Structures are given as C-alpha cells and as structure tokens.
Amino acid sequence: MSTVADHILPAPNSVAEAPRARRPAAPPARVAAPAAFGAARPIPAFWRTGLLAAAAWAALGLLTYLWPNKPAGFSEWAFTEEFAIGAGAVAVLLAVLAFVAGALGPVGHKVRRTGPWLVAIAAGLTVWEVFTAKLGTLPPPFFAPPQSLVEVYATDWARLLESAGASVRLLGLGIAIGAAAGFTTGVLIGWSRQASYWIHPVLRILGPVPTTALLPVSFYFFPSSWSTAIFLIALGTAFPVAILTWSGVAGVHKNYYDVARTMGASPWFLVLRVAIPAALPQVFVGLFMGLGAAFSTLVVAEMLGVKAGLGWYLTWAQGWAAYPNMYAALIVMALLFSGVITLLFVLRDRVLSWQKGVVKW
C-alpha cells in the first residue's frame, strides 16, 4: 500500500524500485511448558503429621508411666513401665523421622503415608489404657490393658509361635489342595459339556453347604482331626475357585479360539494358552473368596478337634480365663490372615502383569 508522501513527492526510481525491507519477525513468545500430568510433587523436608504422631505417642508413654494403675484385685498389671518406655521410644523415633523423612526418598514417602494411622493408633491405645488400667471402667480381667498383651508376647511367645506355625501349615496344605482341585474342576466343566452335565449339579447342591456343617461327618470318614481339617479347608477353598474358574473359561470370547484354530492350534493349546490365561482374573477372584472360607474353617476345626494352632490357643486361653492371651492370639491371627491376603495380591500382580491397567481390583 502506498502512502500519501509517495503521491506528493514521488521517490527516485532506484528507491521506488527497491523492494521494501521486511520487518524482522518477532521471536515467538516462550510459553511455559505445562506440568506433566501426575508428576510427583516436591516432598517437603519437614513432616508435620510425624511430629503430631510423636506427640501422641509421647503423651501415651507419659500417661502410662505417671498415672498409677487402679488395683485390679488380684495383682498389679505387669509390664506397665516397659509399655511406657516402648511408647516413648516410638515417640523419639517419630520425632527424628519428622525432620529427616524428606531426605529418605521413597522410604520417607511411604512413612509419611502412615502418619494419620500412627496418630490414630496412639489415640486408641491411650483411650484403651485409660478405661482399663487407669480407671477400671471396663471390668478386668475380661478387658485387659495394652501392657498385658506385651506381657503375653514377652512370656508366652514360644507357644504363640508354635501355634501360628501349626495354623500356617494346616492353612497352606488345605488352600493348596483346594485351589488345585477347584481350578481343575472349573477348567473341566468350563471346557467339556459332558463334565459340566455331571459335575455342575453336584456343585450347585453341595457347594453352598457350609464346610463347618460337615464337621461331624468328616470326623467319621477321616482317621484324624488334622486330616479332617485339611479336607474341610480344601473343600471351602475349592468351591469358589471352581465356580469362578468355570465362569472365566466359559466366558472367553469365541474369536480367540477361531484365531488360534486358524493358526493351527491344537485342543491342548486352546486350553492351556487361550482359555486358562483369559480366565486367570476370575481364578484369582475365586481364590480371594476361598480364603475367607478357609480362615473360618481353620479356626473352627482347631477349636473343635485339632490339638495345635491359633484356634486351639484361643480355646485353651478361654478355658483358663487368660483373656490377655486370647486378645494376643486374635491380633496374631489377624496379622497372619492379612499377610496371606497380601501375598496373594503380590502373586496376582506378578501372574497378571500382562494385564496391568486392565485388572482394577
């Protein structure tokens, strides 16, 4: 576009014919790159919740040590000072972690996540201590204070350990046999129509029956209470594993088989490399369901017939009115069963690693 000055004072030909110099393009403005989605936030160096947890555990230790126990009528609660010292040691450890957790990297991040629970546990122990040993609101010996559990773990750890080992052996054998039997049965009735015709009605009738209801009959057919317990635990595990495995095998998409047959797959290849891998998520669901039945069957069998194990320990402690021992065994039992479930989760994550992101449970 020409300007007004060009019309009034025409420019020389040399200037008019010269191409106009283009203005240099402005450099593009730098735009800050957006933060990556899900990027880890910087971890603060100071852990406030850890310091709060340290204060809670310190308060528990001081309350236990300075407030005298209410006389229980039979004897003084032992291990009161030891419990107070232990709570103080936890408080000191948490106070140190509150200042150095930021320098511990991933370990410190995991410790930080337990902060609210550490505060809640200290508060719960404080309330428990006050209403049992200090005020006696909850009548002893039915409600024992926390230091009585410390006494049990310090003085009767050998018997508890032996009982826990017996329960682990019984539980391991029963679950292994039941899982293998249930898995084989589920694959069989899911793959073969003839097997489904004969086995499926039996599962529908006998499967829902609680295994503990079969205890008297099982004692008659098996030579010992130990073998009876293994049979019942295996039976309680096998039923959900068989049903879920059958459902998983029967639910495999037909196109998978067609593609494999097109590539020349044999019937064994279809079962082992197509049907079973596709059914594995359902198999693990059945295993998780079977664990609950196995735990309850284990405790009932140990209470009624087996001469060792945590269930037997519970019955023995109840017979002697040793309620602290009973509570201590219950805590060990809860930790043991929780550990078994955690191991199964780890096994599932490794076996189903090829379905990472698909399995949501």
Side-chain angles (χ1 to χ4, degrees):
M1 179 181 294
S2 61
T3 61
V4 177
D6 294 337
H7 291 284
I8 297 175
L9 298 173
N13 295 333
S14 59
V15 176
E17 295 175 357
R20 293 186 177 181
R22 295 183 179 179
R23 293 182 179 179
R30 293 184 177 179
V31 180
F37 181 76
R41 291 179 297 178
I43 300 175
F46 182 67
W47 182 28
R48 295 182 180 177
T49 311
L51 195 60
L52 179 62
W57 282 91
L60 172 62
L62 290 174
L63 180 143
T64 305
Y65 187 78
L66 298 177
W67 190 348
N69 294 334
K70 183 178 181 179
F74 50 92
S75 62
E76 176 64 19
W77 295 113
F79 283 82
T80 299
E81 293 184 1
E82 289 79 358
F83 179 68
I85 294 173
V90 174
V92 172
L93 178 62
L94 290 173
V96 173
L97 287 175
F99 290 96
V100 302
L104 296 180
V107 177
H109 182 67
K110 290 182 180 179
V111 172
R112 283 172 178 273
R113 296 181 58 185
T114 62
W117 271 109
L118 291 172
V119 176
I121 291 173
L125 288 175
T126 303
V127 173
W128 184 6
E129 176 72 19
V130 169
F131 283 97
T132 52
K134 306 306 179 187
L135 297 177
T137 306
L138 299 175
F142 305 105
F143 297 95
Q147 54 264 39
S148 63
L149 301 187
V150 177
E151 179 184 4
V152 172
Y153 291 132
T155 59
D156 204 22
W157 62 269
R159 187 178 300 171
L160 268 174
L161 187 62
E162 183 182 0
S163 300
S167 294
V168 168
R169 286 194 298 272
L170 199 60
L171 193 65
L173 279 174
I175 290 177
I177 296 174
F183 178 76
T184 306
T185 305
V187 172
L188 197 60
I189 62 177
W191 184 258
S192 170
R193 291 183 179 179
Q194 291 183 351
S196 177
Y197 176 80
W198 291 105
I199 299 176
H200 189 216
V202 177
L203 285 179
R204 288 178 65 92
I205 294 174
L206 295 181
V209 177
T211 53
T212 52
L214 302 175
L215 200 59
V217 181
S218 303
F219 276 128
Y220 178 78
F221 284 103
F222 287 88
S224 65
S225 57
W226 196 77
S227 56
T228 303
I230 290 180
F231 167 73
L232 292 177
I233 293 172
L235 188 63
T237 307
F239 174 66
V241 173
I243 294 297
L244 270 299
T245 303
W246 164 59
S247 174
V249 172
V252 177
H253 202 281
K254 183 183 176 184
N255 291 342
Y256 294 167
Y257 297 125
D258 293 339
V259 172
R261 288 193 185 97
T262 304
M263 301 177 68
S266 63
W268 280 109
F269 186 92
L270 294 178
V271 174
L272 298 177
R273 304 299 296 272
V274 178
I276 291 178
L280 279 180
Q282 297 279 28
V283 174
F284 275 97
V285 174
L287 281 173
F288 280 107
M289 294 177 63
L291 282 183
F295 294 156
S296 58
T297 306
L298 170 74
V299 174
V300 173
E302 288 180 342
M303 282 182 168
L304 296 181
V306 181
K307 302 302 181 184
L310 291 173
W312 170 85
Y313 189 93
L314 280 175
T315 308
W316 170 82
Q318 185 182 10
W320 287 96
Y323 294 99
N325 297 63
M326 194 174 63
Y327 295 134
L330 285 174
I331 292 176
V332 173
M333 191 180 295
L335 295 176
L336 176 64
F337 292 166
S338 176
V340 172
I341 292 177
T342 303
L343 286 177
L344 189 57
F345 269 113
V346 173
L347 178 64
R348 183 210 64 176
D349 292 340
R350 293 185 65 86
V351 173
L352 298 181
S353 59
W354 54 280
Q355 287 195 347
K356 187 176 183 180
V358 178
V359 180
K360 299 297 184 183
W361 50 272

